[in-house]
Amino acid sequence: MAVITIDHAAEFVGDEVTVNGWLYNKRSSGKILFLEFRDGTGVIQGVLARADNPELFARADRLPRETSLTVTGRLRADRRAPGGCELDVERIEVIQEPTEPFPIELKEHTPNFLLDHRHLWIRTGRQVPILRVRDAVFRAVRGFFYERGFVATEAPILTGTSVEGTTTLFPVDYFGEQAYLSQSGQLYLEATAMALGKVYWIGPAFRAEKSKTRKHLTEFWMAEAEMAFYDHGANLALQEDLVRYVVTAVVDERSRELEQLKRDTAVLVEEVRTTFPRVSYADAIAILQDAGHDIQYGDDFGAPHEAALGDHFGKPVFIERFPANMKPFYMKRAHDDPSVVLAADLIAPEGYGEIIGGSQRVDTLEDLERQLAEYNLPAEPYKWYLDLRRYGAVPHAGFGMGMARLIAWICGVSHIRETIPFPRQINRLYP
RNA sequence: UCCGCGGUAGCUCAAUUGGUAGAGCGCUCGGCUGUUAACCGAAUGGUUGGAGGUUCGAGUCCUCCCCGCGGAGCCA
């Protein structure tokens, strides 16, 4: 007899199988009992008739939700069952039976209640498929970089300096010295790229901004890449390939989960099928003004502007050539117009906003020193970073991709807090 | 930090002009042979976020505070 996982149940129709899992829900009709089991890979309905086994029926009828158990039975194809097959239950071994009702009911709850019970919420409903998609997205990103010859590396989490100087950092006491949690691994990846050529990592980033939107967490995961000998154009081409690769791979691998999430994958596939437009910041401003938005050259895009640009193109769109004063000190200026930088944000469609920010980096010591001065940044903490331009500097570029926003877009969920097991937000450090 | 909305039973929400605090769900008990958040019946369940004030009387009105949600700013 096979011990199986529920996602492979259809392959064992006709067999007697065992599933290790939990009782998700049950419905009783007096002489027939429907038991929904979950095991992390999916949910399957078990059926038990009182006439077949009165002792087991009475015992199972009393089990509360989230009882951990091992269930054995014969799999049968049945179109009435969710998932296409169901289990004729023959034996149940209870591992642990809760003595209190499971707090998460299978009905509406407020976000606050659910977040307070996040450790239990993740067992239910949409949360399991979302987290399974998250796994697939991480794996697809790693697969893409591996196939392209990138070396997986790491950047430190504990840092002595800010990367960009502007964003608020989480301070940490480091043996009496002031340290911070990293807000980005970029400067370190620039150093690593000079050692290994093309590098990437997926790591956490921390921002102490008091953001309260559906697109922000204080702790979030970024996929960052840095490539020696890449210019701005090659950088964008790589980002486009990455996004198309990940979406395509995840739609293929996690079609069942995306269906459970009621995500229209045909829309998703179409959005990444053709070339992503590249629009200058100046042209994007003009598009927004034509659409009636009150925005001027030099203004940052707000959420409504990003959504409008996404709607305008109906697919991911690069906004490039931003005014230099809107962006950090390390970005390279355009050869034909020093007032703009060779940077681009990738805006996702359907209102999901910016999912990638990247740029070609300053590659001469002279320019870097000048731009540090222009931003009123002290040279001392950046001494090692300046060294990268002192010893064999080359043109190079890179980007950071917000994993949660990417996952939210792929899943079609409106708030990125559902895309990470334990979201950290302002006022939320537990569980 | 700013703007808006909210806090009533374990959960989700009602409560007219200020006049006896209620329903559904959950848990428990009973019924029901194809249920899909099953359904039907019964029972259980309250310091109305906190402090102060107005009033014969406050869930309701006033002041302050706490907490949450949505958005803005900032960013990925």
Side-chain angles (χ1 to χ4, degrees):
Chain A
M1 174 182 36
V3 177
I4 67 158
T5 53
I6 292 168
D7 54 341
H8 288 109
E11 302 160 25
F12 293 87
V13 166
D15 295 352
E16 191 181 56
V17 298
T18 292
V19 172
N20 292 309
W22 295 262
L23 181 61
Y24 184 59
N25 195 21
K26 68 175 196 284
R27 289 174 286 275
S28 169
S29 295
K31 287 172 184 154
I32 186 166
L33 184 59
F34 298 97
L35 302 156
E36 281 187 302
F37 302 105
R38 61 169 195 88
D39 73 345
T41 72
V43 176
I44 192 169
Q45 176 163 284
V47 189
L48 185 52
R50 182 156 68 185
D52 292 345
N53 190 336
E55 184 275 331
L56 178 59
F57 185 96
R59 200 158 50 83
D61 197 26
R62 283 196 304 271
L63 293 177
R65 290 181 54 222
E66 289 304 309
T67 295
S68 52
L69 46 77
T70 295
V71 58
T72 299
R74 192 167 295 277
L75 280 170
R76 178 170 41 74
D78 194 317
R79 295 187 61 183
R80 291 171 296 187
C85 67
E86 63 185 9
L87 190 68
D88 286 324
V89 177
E90 293 162 4
R91 187 161 72 246
I92 293 175
E93 291 172 35
V94 170
I95 299 168
Q96 192 257 334
E97 182 179 327
T99 54
E100 294 173 57
F102 191 64
I104 313 294
E105 295 178 33
L106 299 178
K107 57 165 210 165
E108 296 258 345
H109 287 288
T110 54
N112 190 35
F113 179 83
L114 290 170
L115 287 165
D116 283 343
H117 296 82
R118 182 61 176 169
H119 53 299
L120 304 175
W121 182 25
I122 51 179
R123 301 182 185 190
T124 66
R126 309 177 331 140
Q127 304 308 307
V128 169
I130 290 171
L131 293 178
R132 289 174 65 82
V133 170
R134 179 183 174 91
D135 156 70
V137 169
F138 270 66
R139 194 146 20 79
V141 170
R142 293 186 177 117
F144 173 83
F145 282 122
Y146 175 73
E147 288 181 15
R148 295 296 182 104
F150 280 65
V151 177
T153 186
E154 289 82 30
I157 305 299
L158 290 166
T159 58
T161 55
S162 139
V163 169
E164 301 178 5
T166 54
T167 351
T168 319
L169 301 171
F170 285 107
V172 178
D173 175 68
Y174 195 75
F175 306 113
E177 191 176 344
Q178 183 69 80
Y180 303 94
L181 297 180
S182 172
Q183 60 179 340
S184 163
Q186 183 205 309
L187 302 192
Y188 296 95
L189 286 198
E190 286 187 56
T192 315
M194 298 305 127
L196 299 167
K198 294 189 292 184
V199 298
Y200 82 97
W201 88 310
I202 306 178
F206 306 88
R207 306 276 166 92
E209 293 287 343
K210 296 193 172 182
S211 298
K212 291 178 68 175
T213 79
R214 66 183 65 182
K215 296 189 181 72
H216 291 84
L217 301 171
T218 55
E219 175 185 300
F220 62 99
W221 288 73
M222 266 200 302
E224 296 182 275
E226 199 70 32
M227 298 78 68
F229 304 104
Y230 267 53
D231 65 8
H232 176 65
N235 192 19
L236 298 200
L238 181 75
Q239 293 169 37
E240 178 170 340
D241 288 350
L242 168 65
V243 170
R244 184 172 295 118
Y245 179 101
V246 171
V247 169
T248 305
V250 172
V251 163
D252 181 53
E253 185 185 342
R254 287 284 177 256
S255 58
R256 195 168 57 98
E257 281 78 5
L258 292 170
E259 190 180 335
Q260 288 164 3
L261 294 167
K262 296 183 168 54
R263 181 56 158 129
D264 189 340
T265 54
V267 169
L268 207 47
V269 168
E270 177 58 25
E271 283 168 346
V272 300
R273 189 174 61 82
T274 54
T275 307
F276 300 175
R278 300 179 184 185
V279 180
S280 72
Y281 169 84
D283 287 346
I285 293 291
I287 289 169
L288 290 170
Q289 287 173 337
D290 285 349
H293 287 87
D294 180 22
I295 189 168
Q296 307 300 322
Y297 190 91
D299 292 344
D300 265 316
F301 297 129
H305 305 126
E306 290 184 351
L309 289 169
D311 288 347
H312 185 266
F313 292 96
K315 54 177 159 178
V317 52
F318 288 109
I319 311 297
E320 59 181 355
R321 298 172 70 89
F322 285 88
N325 61 8
M326 292 172 60
K327 292 291 182 180
F329 72 92
Y330 50 73
M331 293 184 176
K332 188 176 178 66
R333 304 289 160 89
H335 326 281
D336 55 342
D337 180 0
S339 77
V340 301
V341 285
L342 296 174
D345 291 348
L346 183 64
I347 309 292
E350 304 178 63
Y352 286 94
E354 181 185 346
I355 54 174
I356 295 181
S359 67
Q360 186 171 345
R361 323 301 193 188
V362 171
D363 50 20
T364 69
L365 185 61
E366 181 190 14
D367 288 345
L368 186 54
E369 285 178 331
R370 180 171 41 76
Q371 290 184 203
L372 273 172
E374 283 174 10
Y375 283 77
N376 292 315
L377 292 169
E380 180 59 27
Y382 296 99
K383 197 165 176 297
W384 67 267
Y385 186 63
L386 289 159
D387 272 353
L388 304 181
R389 278 72 181 171
R390 197 170 272 126
Y391 305 106
V394 300
H396 64 290
F399 61 89
M401 178 169 72
M403 296 298 286
R405 291 183 184 177
L406 176 66
I407 294 161
W409 169 44
I410 291 174
C411 288
V413 304
S414 63
H415 203 303
I416 66 168
R417 67 187 165 209
E418 287 189 69
T419 67
I420 185 169
F422 294 97
R424 290 290 173 255
Q425 300 174 277
I426 171 178
N427 298 333
R428 191 165 293 283
L429 195 50
Y430 300 96

